Amino acid sequence: MQIGNVTTPFGRRPMTLSLVKRQIEASEIKPGKTADKWKVFRDASEARELLGLQDRSLAVLDALLSFYPDNELRQNAQLIVFPSNAQLTLRAHGIAGATLRRHLALLVEAGLIVRKDSANGKRYARKDKAGAIDSAFGFDLSPLLMRVDELAMMAQQVVADRFALRRAKENLTICRRDVRKLISAAIEEGASGNWESIEAIYIGLVGRIPRSPTLSDVNLILDEMELLQQEIINILEMQENDENIGTNGDHGEQHIQNSNTESCYEFEPSSRNEQGGKAVDDDRPKREPVRNFPLGMVMRACPQIAMYGPGGTIGSWREMMGAAVVARSMLGVSPSAYQDACDVMGPENAATAIACILERAGHINSPGGYLRDLTRKAARGEFSLGPMLMALLSAAGDNGRKAG
């Protein structure tokens, strides 16, 4: 690399190491590399939010590109444009001088252009005797050519994220509608169940939808809304099964309870088809393990488990299961009780159960006995983690609203 490839800004503009890096990279573009300048502009426009740019920044970039005479950016060409501020203002649709300077700075900061200032800060070109440009001072467009592939990938990611967001919003709208109508039908037709609590959870979920949600916002709420929908269906299916086999006994006797703890988790028993992974001592066939819940949802419902993770955080199911082992010991749950839970529920769900017990440890006299009771009920198909998580999520939402 030649020393002349790195220049510093004129006047009070500071020099940074990132500017040095960009100038060095721009001088090392692969020989023969070319790109259509307007395609690069479209990719940069698509990725503007990732680049930290605004619409007016793009108008200024469009104006700069219009001063480059060819449609194709080439590695072996002179890629410096040198319009005056007055010329730029005109082509940028009359943008004010201060606004123009601010957006030029944003383009430099985003790494799309590099300033190559003259001794006095003026923009101009020197020509040789043949009339060809020998050297120029102004704005170097080389970074656009250098980053053409990166910008294309960024644009594709933005398009994919936009599609995923639209699809997630559609799924949330459908799920939200289904839950609302299922709750209304259950209340209107007098189905057994604590529908007031379920409706309160539904209202809380809807209230958490931001005005301009991100993909992660929508996916988080969609996970919880789908969980609530599944639990409603479980309740209704359980009642239908009981009616079909003529065992319409007192549903209160089927609630998940423990003599040593307050039963604060369950709305109604889960469907017999959603349960742990082993048959108990009878002739029933072995069943598939219950589905795992999203880790983000578990962490929101049970934030205390995070302190037992590495560095006080949990970022994966492996870390979650390790934290559960530590919390299990602290709660006084025996290794055999926890192993039984893992065998019946699966290791992820057993870790989730420990996290839920930890969250309600002050209300549970014997965590080990409580876990064994849950494991037995899960093996019989009488327990699901879903309502427990939903109750904790609801409590977390209520506490957040009170704190606010």
Side-chain angles (χ1 to χ4, degrees):
M1 183 198 77
Q2 296 180 355
I3 296 176
N5 289 330
V6 175
T7 62
T8 59
F10 172 78
R12 296 182 179 180
R13 299 190 194 101
M15 185 63 181
T16 64
L17 295 181
S18 62
L19 287 176
V20 175
K21 178 181 178 182
R22 289 169 194 160
Q23 292 185 49
I24 294 173
E25 290 174 340
S27 69
E28 297 175 349
I29 299 174
K30 184 179 178 181
K33 187 172 185 178
T34 63
D36 184 291
K37 68 178 182 181
W38 298 120
K39 183 182 183 304
V40 179
F41 175 75
R42 288 193 296 272
D43 289 340
S45 300
E46 199 73 71
R48 62 185 178 276
E49 291 186 4
L50 297 179
L51 294 167
L53 299 177
Q54 303 170 13
D55 290 342
R56 289 207 169 184
S57 306
L58 297 173
V60 174
L61 181 60
D62 177 75
L64 286 171
L65 287 170
S66 71
F67 285 98
Y68 183 75
D70 300 326
N71 282 333
E72 192 175 63
L73 301 174
R74 300 189 305 277
Q75 176 269 337
N76 58 355
Q78 200 285 117
L79 294 175
I80 297 175
V81 294
F82 38 90
S84 66
N85 280 358
Q87 291 172 313
L88 274 175
T89 296
L90 184 62
R91 294 202 187 181
H93 312 293
I95 190 172
T99 305
L100 173 65
R101 289 189 292 273
R102 183 170 72 254
H103 289 288
L104 284 171
L106 285 175
L107 290 171
V108 172
E109 186 178 342
L112 297 184
I113 61 173
V114 172
R115 293 181 185 272
K116 186 175 181 182
D117 290 341
S118 64
N120 60 7
K122 300 293 184 180
R123 300 173 202 142
Y124 60 90
R126 287 200 189 98
K127 296 183 179 181
D128 57 22
K129 294 179 179 180
I133 294 177
D134 180 55
S135 61
F137 300 93
F139 298 102
D140 190 350
L141 303 178
S142 297
L144 285 171
L145 180 57
M146 177 192 68
R147 300 180 64 183
V148 58
D149 296 328
E150 178 191 356
L151 291 172
M153 291 181 64
M154 292 173 71
Q156 291 172 12
Q157 184 61 51
V158 168
V159 171
D161 289 346
R162 186 184 300 130
F163 176 78
L165 177 59
R166 184 169 63 249
R167 194 167 189 174
K169 283 182 175 179
E170 291 173 352
N171 292 338
L172 178 58
T173 298
I174 294 171
C175 187
R176 176 180 171 180
R177 179 193 67 200
D178 292 346
V179 170
R180 175 68 271 175
K181 291 192 173 183
L182 285 170
I183 293 173
S184 297
I187 293 174
E188 290 171 3
E189 299 182 23
S192 299
N194 191 348
W195 298 109
E196 290 183 0
S197 296
I198 295 175
E199 186 172 38
I201 292 175
Y202 167 78
I203 293 172
L205 285 175
V206 172
R208 282 176 35 218
I209 302 175
R211 180 169 297 181
S212 299
T214 63
L215 179 60
S216 60
D217 292 332
V218 176
N219 283 336
L220 179 63
I221 296 172
L222 178 59
D223 284 340
E224 296 181 30
M225 192 70 75
E226 288 177 340
L227 174 60
L228 182 59
Q229 179 188 29
Q230 186 58 52
E231 292 307 321
I232 292 171
I233 293 172
N234 286 345
I235 293 171
L236 298 176
E237 282 184 347
M238 188 67 175
Q239 293 179 21
E240 182 180 354
N241 291 340
D242 287 344
E243 291 173 0
N244 290 339
I245 62 176
T247 57
N248 293 318
D250 181 8
H251 287 277
E253 295 177 359
Q254 299 175 10
H255 288 192
I256 305 301
Q257 297 192 9
N258 185 286
S259 59
N260 294 326
T261 181
E262 298 176 5
S263 180
C264 57
Y265 299 125
E266 307 302 329
F267 304 130
E268 288 287 325
S270 66
S271 167
R272 288 190 175 93
N273 293 327
E274 183 187 358
Q275 51 86 51
K278 288 205 258 187
V280 290
D281 298 332
D282 59 17
D283 296 329
R284 288 179 294 179
K286 291 185 179 181
R287 301 170 175 85
E288 294 298 319
V290 295
R291 67 185 178 94
N292 297 333
F293 299 97
L295 180 60
M297 179 193 300
V298 175
M299 295 307 301
R300 255 189 8 92
C302 311
Q304 293 187 44
I305 192 69
M307 72 177 72
Y308 298 93
T313 61
I314 292 176
S316 66
W317 275 112
R318 181 181 294 275
E319 292 179 353
M320 176 67 173
M321 289 185 282
V325 171
V326 178
R328 185 268 313 158
S329 178
M330 187 279 297
L331 289 168
V333 176
S334 67
S336 62
Y338 185 60
Q339 185 59 51
D340 289 345
C342 289
D343 292 340
V344 172
M345 302 181 191
E348 292 86 356
N349 287 317
T352 301
I354 288 292
C356 292
I357 293 172
L358 176 66
E359 204 67 26
R360 296 290 298 174
H363 299 266
I364 299 174
N365 293 332
S366 174
Y370 185 60
L371 181 63
R372 285 192 183 278
D373 185 60
L374 295 184
T375 301
R376 286 192 294 269
K377 292 175 187 292
R380 296 195 300 268
E382 298 175 359
F383 168 71
S384 166
L385 283 167
M388 182 181 286
L389 284 171
M390 292 306 304
L392 289 172
L393 284 166
S394 178
D398 289 341
N399 291 337
R401 286 190 289 273
K402 291 176 183 178

